[in-house]
């Protein structure tokens, strides 16, 4: 069996102790194993920090060029990585492309940013200001790279993109990375790191990789390190409260759960392009990656009187989804990633059923296509309808991380729609579909403080819309409250997490020469 090694202190290393087995979620077959027990995490962190000066000696442009090499290396191995994502992640080919191309695309976007930022190493922040009566005493703000390492702990659902989107920003900011994917789907991340190491794509020491648990790594973090986490709220809260994190004020970014919503405006007619866009986005988000997407639509709000129509249209589309082994081309939705996920989703649907009724799918009934699927972790897409849920009901409080959404009606006013969306108490992204400018404006402004991103679907852009579930390197990703309170990406905004903003005051000529 394939034994995954960690890449620490510049060498591939196998842990001791009990190994975790990775499986093919379509068949339950074991595909690899790993352990990081016994590996020296303190030394690994120190080694990563020691690579910082070499990385920071490069200009923005040079670090951008490094990201370009990384992006191309991943792209050159695209088919192999897609194959691994199908085998170890239960991804359809299209799901796997979303992850792998997202990885190379995000690295490429940050490579472009590096080139744009040019030959400097410092990032100016706004205009310098005169501090005294004369024109001599000035103050200016600038961002400078932190001197520690960036520890990245990622969720199981995007083993390629999750690794790359965080690494791209940290490395461009001049901070070496220690990355730890969720072990259940780590084959893709492992292969990516192997490719990058073998091809010498990264600066020496700039990328380390843990195949397994972090063990005592987080206990060694100090005030120049950062911790970026993606996963469940519970784990996020645990890591945020870590003793070194608290003792050394370690900067932490948490990307967690989210009850993303899609709202249909009262003006949208059945059969219109905008109506099709709305239905298409909901079905895509429910079923892409088998609903295991932090940005997937979980709550669908429609004006009263349109519930039956939308339920019918969504059910028709969901009935056409072919669940099965994603190695078959005809399959459009693969299994959940792990047996635990299957248990959690079934339990989650039962919780939703305390305030909603199931109108499509059964969490215990599915007939997957393909050989060997009887031991796979398959589930049917599930649509529920909730008539008038309270803010404390499960539909507004519990994220079911699978192909599950709940349809809810509202009175057709932007205020009512926004109040229902806000009941999710903080999300990554919500979307609204309407051509009514007043409705859209009041909805967007009312939900904006509760989100990292809001997408607007309108007739004029229906043909070129990017679905709400797609995270873009140019726009921020993250959200307040339940979503973890974090923020990633957003072009140069993402760099701030890995840098220190400093105010420098003194003689104007001196300040300007330092920041040049
Ligand atoms: P999880 O169980 O919280 O695990 C996330 C990561 O944390 C994994 O790498 C896991 O490692 C690691 N981990 C768990 N306990 C740890 C500990 N005590 N110390 C250090 N690391 C620890 O979440 P998941 O099941 O992988 O992901 C699903 C959740 O992630 C969903 O709730 C989803 O909403 C959220 N998510 C959010 C975003 C976003 O961008 N906001 C994106 C994707 C997913 P092991 O798995 O190896 O134990």
């Amino acid at each position: 069996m394939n034994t995954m090694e960690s890449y620490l202190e510049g060498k591939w290393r196998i842990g001791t102790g009990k190994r975790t087995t990775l499986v093919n979620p379509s068949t339950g077959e074991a595909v690899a194993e790993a352990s990081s027990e016994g590996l020296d995490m303190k030394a690994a962190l120190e080694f990563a920090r020691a690579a910082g000066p070499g990385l920071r000696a490069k200009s923005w442009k040079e670090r951008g060029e490094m990201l370009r090499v990384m992006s191309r290396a991943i792209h050159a191995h695209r088919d192999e990585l897609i194959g691994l994502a199908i085998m170890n992640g239960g991804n359809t080919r299209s799901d796997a492309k979303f992850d792998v191309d997202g990885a190379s695309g995000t690295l490429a976007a940050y490579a472009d940013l590096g080139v744009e930022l040019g030959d400097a190493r410092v990032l100016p922040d706004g205009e310098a200001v005169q501090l005294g009566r004369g024109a001599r005493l000035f103050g200016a703000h600038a961002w400078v790279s932190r001197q520690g390492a960036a520890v990245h702990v990622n969720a199981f659902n995007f083993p390629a993109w999750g690794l790359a989107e965080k690494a791209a920003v940290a490395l461009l900011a001049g901070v070496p990375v220690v990355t730890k994917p969720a072990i259940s789907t780590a084959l893709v991340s492992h292969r990516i790191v192997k490719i990058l190491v073998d091809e010498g794509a990264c600066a020496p020491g700039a990328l380390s990789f843990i195949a397994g648990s972090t063990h005592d790594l987080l206990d060694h973090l100090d005030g120049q390190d950062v911790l970026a986490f993606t996963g469940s709220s519970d784990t996020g809260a645990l890591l945020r409260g870590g003793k070194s994190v608290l003792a050394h004020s370690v900067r932490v970014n948490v990307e967690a759960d989210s009850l993303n919503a899609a709202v249909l405006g009262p003006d949208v007619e059945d059969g219109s392009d905008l109506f099709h866009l709305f239905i298409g986005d909901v079905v895509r988000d429910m079923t892409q990656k088998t609903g295991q997407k932090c940005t997937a639509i979980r709550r669908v709000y429609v004006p009263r009187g349109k519930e039956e129509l939308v339920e019918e249209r969504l059910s028709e589309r969901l009935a056409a989804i072919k669940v099965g082994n994603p190695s078959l081309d005809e399959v459009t939705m693969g299994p959940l990633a792990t047996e635990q996920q299957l248990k959690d989703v079934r339990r989650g649907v039962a919780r939703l059923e305390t305030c909603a009724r199931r109108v499509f799918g059964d969490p215990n009934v599915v007939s997957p296509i393909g050989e060997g699927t009887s031991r796979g972790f398959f589930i049917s897409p599930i649509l529920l309808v909730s008539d008038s849920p309270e803010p404390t009901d499960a539909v507004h409080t519990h994220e079911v991380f699978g192909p599950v959404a709940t349809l809810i009606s509202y009175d057709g006013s932007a205020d009512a729609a926004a109040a229902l969306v806000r009941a999710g108490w903080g999300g990554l992204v919500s979307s609204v579909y309407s051509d009514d400018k007043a409705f859209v404006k009041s909805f967007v402004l009312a939900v904006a403080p509760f989100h990292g991103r809001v997408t607007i679907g309108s007739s004029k852009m229906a043909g070129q819309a990017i679905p709400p579930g797609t995270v873009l390197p140019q726009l921020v990703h993250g959200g307040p409250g339940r979503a973890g309170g974090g923020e990633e990406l957003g072009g140069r905004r993402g760099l701030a997490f890995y840098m220190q903003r400093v105010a420098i005051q003194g003689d104007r000529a001196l300040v300007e020469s330092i920041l040049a």
Side-chain angles (χ1 to χ4, degrees), residues 205 209 219 243 258 262-263 282 324 368 404 428 435 442 471 498 512 515:
F209 170 80
D219 295 340
K243 66 177 183 191
S258 182
V263 174
V282 173
V404 181
L428 297 172
D435 288 321
S442 80
V471 175
Y498 299 96
E512 285 176 351
L515 297 182

Side-chain angles (χ1 to χ4, degrees), residues 275-307:
F275 188 81
H276 287 307
L277 180 71
F278 167 75
I279 296 289
D281 280 356
V282 173
V283 172
R284 182 190 303 99
D285 262 8
M286 283 181 71
T287 57
Q288 189 173 44
K289 291 214 137 235
T290 318
Q292 300 164 114
K293 227 170 46 177
C294 53
T295 50
I297 295 167
R298 308 289 179 199
R299 299 175 293 156
V300 184
Y301 294 102
V302 298
R304 210 152 284 147
K306 289 201 172 145
E307 307 94 307

Side-chain angles (χ1 to χ4, degrees), residues 54-281:
L55 194 56
R56 291 188 289 276
K58 295 176 187 290
S59 65
W60 290 112
K61 192 168 156 210
E62 288 165 334
R63 282 180 239 144
E65 280 157 4
M66 181 181 85
L67 298 185
R68 181 98 55 216
V69 175
M70 292 169 69
S71 168
R72 287 187 178 145
I74 291 173
H75 187 71
H77 292 266
R78 183 175 186 255
D79 283 340
E80 180 195 353
L81 292 167
I82 287 171
L84 287 176
I86 291 171
M87 178 178 69
N88 180 215
N91 290 187
T92 61
R93 198 174 160 75
S94 155
D95 290 345
K97 281 196 236 168
F98 190 57
D99 188 23
V100 173
D101 293 344
S104 53
T106 304
L107 283 160
Y110 274 88
D112 290 346
L113 178 60
V115 171
E116 187 188 315
L117 294 176
D119 293 327
R121 287 170 188 78
V122 171
L123 194 61
D125 179 48
E127 296 295 313
V129 287
Q130 187 175 322
L131 299 175
R133 257 189 277 149
R136 198 118 210 145
L137 185 59
F138 257 67
H141 291 89
W143 294 97
V144 291
S145 303
R146 291 192 148 225
Q147 307 274 298
V151 175
H152 292 165
V153 177
N154 277 314
F156 70 83
N157 53 348
F158 284 99
W161 174 81
L163 184 158
E165 59 100 15
K166 284 185 171 59
V169 188
L171 294 175
L172 185 60
V175 181
V177 169
V178 180
T179 189
K180 180 244 171 304
I183 193 62
S184 54
T185 58
L187 263 187
V188 172
S189 322
H190 177 260
R191 184 66 192 126
I192 286 178
V193 176
K194 196 112 185 50
I195 291 164
L196 298 176
V197 169
D198 288 351
E199 300 192 5
C202 291
L207 185 61
S208 302
F209 170 80
I210 300 173
S213 302
T214 51
H215 296 285
D216 63 350
L217 174 77
L218 306 184
D219 295 340
H220 303 295
L221 294 174
D222 74 24
Q224 285 290 310
D225 300 320
V226 299
L227 171 63
F229 166 80
T230 295
S232 62
S233 301
D234 289 349
T235 312
L238 188 77
L239 300 197
R240 223 198 280 270
K243 66 177 183 191
S244 282
V245 166
L246 296 175
H248 302 294
S249 309
V250 175
R251 205 177 263 181
V252 181
N253 192 73
V254 173
E255 298 290 340
D257 313 351
S258 182
L259 292 161
N260 313 296
V263 174
L264 183 70
D267 58 306
V268 184
E269 299 292 341
D270 180 21
S272 65
D273 288 350
L274 196 47
F275 188 81
H276 287 307
L277 180 71
F278 167 75
I279 296 289
D281 280 356

Side-chain angles (χ1 to χ4, degrees), residues 27 42 145 155 164 245 297 356 368 375 469 489:
T27 60
K42 184 166 185 271
S145 303
V245 166
I297 295 167
R375 298 186 62 195
L489 301 172

